Amino acid sequence: MVPQKFDYIIIGSGLAGLQLAYAFSLDPYFENLKIAIIDPSSKKTNDKTWCFWEKGLGQWDEVITRSWNQGEFISTKAHINLELSPYAYKMLRSIDFYNFIRAALKDKTNIDFIIDEIQEIEESKLIALGKKGKYIATHFFDSRIDSDYLVDENSTKIFQHFKGFHIKTKASVFDKSTFTMMDFRIKFPDSTSFTYILPLNDSEALIEYTFFTPFLTEESIYDKYLNTYIKDVLKVDEYEIIGTENGVIPMTDYNFHKASSPKVTKIGTAGSWVKGSTGYSFKHTEKKVAQLIQNIKTGKDPKNNLLNNRSRWYDAIFLDVLNRHNELGEELFTKFYSKNSPQEIFRYLDEETNLTEELKIMFSLYDPEFVRSFFRKLF
Ligand SMILES: Cc1cc2nc3c(=O)[nH]c(=O)nc-3n(C[C@H](O)[C@H](O)[C@H](O)COP(=O)(O)OP(=O)(O)OC[C@H]3O[C@@H](n4cnc5c(N)ncnc54)[C@H](O)[C@@H]3O)c2cc1C
């Protein structure tokens, strides 16, 4: 079989692969390069809902489902209103994102979508071996996750795992102007577990029961906690489940990106682009893609300067505390949201803060366990 030849190959047409392909398509610097995006899936279903915050107008506003200027954080000791301005919290259905990018790339004759599953990259020959074909390129952008991650003993592994019910109620129940970032009132024993609510209108919302834990759980547990929340907290008896969403996001200090090499740049989750302490990556991906493109245009290694080591270290400390004392989550997040403004929190999570601002956040979270984790992650 004669291999197909490209300049760049993007493996994976998920969040990172499509954002990267879209950015290549918008920049005239790449218009004469032949680019392939290879994925076994044609991405025709709504497999997830992305939320992210940003200031003012953004690149995906045309396809966002909803956005909120205020939110709330609720724990057993606090009820905090989050006034987000100048930020907005935006919700985007993955199917709308996939369709938007496909439509934008449809007429780009230099960009091909290929349905195939890559099994291996033979770097010495610059060839990717798929189940259906072989593909040659000068550089590969690869969103396949390094499978060693789950057996690595030196990293902390917390899973953000959740199930969501998209419900429709008979009565008017939701305040559509406010989303709920975290509500800890219904909790799985001794764990960091909470409810997250995205109201679409006064009788429709996506309600997710979420864990940040070192363990995974059974489907029936999410169902039980979702039903309890809807009945006991929202006081809703009559509702219809019109959709569900499940997910597991790695929250880890594992160095996924170490699998990159001079000819292969790992991207997305596989490139450590998911923030360890939160599991968010949508907005980070936009920034990493912009940096990666800048690197190529200035003759640097594409992966140059993509990760912020100081922020990764803070995240590693936080994850170590959660891993050793998962029951502390509610208290830590209560301190985080009550002692810092949403604007300070977003800047910190966006890795845009300076050392002084970071120290303020660290002190606001203080717990003796952080001192232990600081030293555990130092060596
Ligand atoms: C249900 C869910 C909800 C989430 N919600 C949010 C959120 O609200 N906000 C946020 O910021 N983050 C969120 N995340 C985290 C993160 O943004 C997503 O996981 C995001 O999709 C990661 O992007 P990615 O490109 O690394 O992976 P993906 O989007 O999963 O894309 C990887 C692609 O690679 C393809 N692939 C895999 N193996 C091969 C192979 N061998 N050959 C070719 N292609 C292959 C897959 O088919 C897939 O299409 C969520 C994650 C999940 C799972």
Side-chain angles (χ1 to χ4, degrees):
M1 191 188 302
V2 184
Q4 297 182 54
K5 281 192 181 167
F6 298 92
D7 293 292
Y8 295 156
I9 286 177
I10 299 174
I11 301 174
S13 64
L15 174 62
L18 288 183
Q19 279 207 21
L20 181 60
Y22 184 56
F24 281 143
S25 79
L26 294 178
D27 193 323
Y29 182 90
F30 301 97
E31 70 189 2
N32 294 320
L33 297 186
K34 229 170 138 6
I35 298 168
I37 309 160
I38 305 179
D39 197 309
S41 162
S42 52
K43 301 296 213 184
K44 292 275 165 38
T45 56
N46 185 47
D47 53 8
K48 48 182 85 83
T49 305
W50 282 300
C51 282
F52 56 96
W53 52 86
E54 65 184 353
K55 284 185 191 167
L57 299 176
Q59 214 182 353
W60 320 104
D61 283 352
E62 218 179 294
V63 279
I64 60 166
T65 308
R66 266 206 73 81
S67 81
W68 297 268
N69 298 317
Q70 51 187 20
E72 54 186 359
F73 170 90
I74 305 168
S75 65
T76 40
K77 289 194 184 140
H79 190 143
I80 302 161
N81 290 321
L82 308 168
E83 292 297 336
L84 308 183
S85 176
Y87 291 90
Y89 194 72
K90 301 184 180 181
M91 168 182 175
L92 173 56
R93 297 163 75 236
S94 64
I95 189 65
D96 297 330
F97 171 82
Y98 301 144
N99 288 341
F100 173 79
I101 306 260
R102 272 179 190 272
L105 302 187
K106 190 165 59 74
D107 298 326
K108 299 280 171 188
T109 50
N110 64 324
I111 303 184
D112 287 353
F113 279 92
I114 297 173
I115 299 286
D116 200 354
E117 183 176 336
I118 298 303
Q119 295 179 302
E120 196 190 333
I121 300 175
E122 281 186 14
E123 263 195 83
S124 56
K125 297 185 188 154
L126 290 175
I127 193 162
L129 307 175
K131 281 189 173 165
K132 298 184 191 159
K134 295 180 178 178
Y135 313 92
I136 290 184
T138 56
H139 200 95
F140 299 87
F141 299 94
D142 186 2
S143 32
R144 291 171 309 148
I145 296 176
D146 175 3
S147 55
D148 288 349
Y149 147 65
L150 287 169
V151 292
D152 178 64
E153 287 181 356
N154 298 317
S155 54
T156 307
K157 279 170 279 299
I158 296 274
F159 302 100
Q160 179 173 148
H161 52 111
F162 51 88
K163 178 170 181 180
F165 283 169
H166 182 169
I167 66 165
K168 220 171 164 33
T169 58
K170 273 214 161 147
S172 273
V173 175
F174 304 106
D175 173 359
K176 64 176 192 286
S177 65
T178 298
F179 75 100
T180 304
M181 186 63 112
M182 292 175 143
D183 182 344
F184 282 97
R185 285 176 293 178
I186 300 287
K187 231 167 60 175
F188 187 82
D190 300 325
S191 75
T192 304
S193 51
F194 57 90
T195 311
Y196 170 66
I197 308 178
L198 302 171
L200 296 161
N201 56 50
D202 56 10
S203 60
E204 204 178 319
L206 179 62
I207 305 182
E208 296 192 339
Y209 198 76
T210 306
F211 291 81
F212 288 0
T213 53
F215 57 84
L216 292 169
T217 188
E218 298 131 43
E219 187 90 11
S220 59
I221 299 285
Y222 305 109
D223 291 344
K224 178 179 154 198
Y225 281 80
L226 280 166
N227 285 318
T228 306
Y229 187 89
I230 294 169
K231 198 163 171 293
D232 295 352
V233 178
L234 295 179
K235 314 268 184 227
V236 170
D237 288 319
E238 290 186 76
Y239 62 95
E240 186 193 345
I241 299 171
I242 55 175
T244 60
E245 177 172 313
N246 287 72
V248 181
I249 307 173
M251 295 173 75
T252 179
D253 54 352
Y254 182 73
N255 292 327
F256 285 108
H257 57 284
K258 71 180 181 200
S260 288
S261 65
K263 296 294 175 194
V264 179
T265 301
K266 288 286 190 176
I267 59 170
T269 314
S272 310
W273 294 7
V274 174
K275 188 155 175 70
S277 57
T278 64
Y280 281 96
S281 86
F282 192 89
K283 196 66 189 167
H284 283 271
T285 300
E286 220 177 290
K287 286 195 203 163
K288 312 273 181 219
V289 161
Q291 174 74 50
L292 191 154
I293 289 213
Q294 190 57 24
N295 288 341
I296 298 176
K297 289 168 73 175
T298 51
K300 294 185 185 136
D301 184 334
K303 64 180 176 298
N304 189 51
N305 210 14
L306 287 187
L307 300 175
N308 178 329
N309 288 333
R310 206 165 73 218
S311 293
R312 283 179 61 77
W313 189 53
Y314 300 146
D315 287 352
I317 295 171
F318 180 73
L319 289 174
D320 189 61
V321 174
L322 271 197
N323 193 35
R324 292 185 300 106
H325 287 279
N326 203 248
E327 76 287 355
L328 284 179
E330 176 178 1
E331 193 184 322
L332 294 177
F333 281 107
T334 303
K335 288 182 189 169
F336 192 47
Y337 281 98
S338 57
K339 297 188 176 174
N340 303 287
S341 70
Q343 294 73 16
E344 286 170 322
I345 289 172
F346 285 166
R347 271 172 56 71
Y348 173 75
L349 297 179
D350 285 340
E351 305 182 353
E352 289 170 354
T353 36
N354 59 36
L355 191 58
T356 317
E357 294 168 305
E358 288 152 18
L359 287 175
K360 178 193 173 263
I361 300 245
M362 291 295 153
F363 283 117
S364 76
L365 288 179
Y366 180 75
D367 183 283
E369 289 305 330
F370 274 92
V371 180
R372 277 189 70 188
S373 290
F374 174 92
F375 287 106
R376 282 166 54 84
K377 287 292 168 182
L378 199 56
F379 306 109

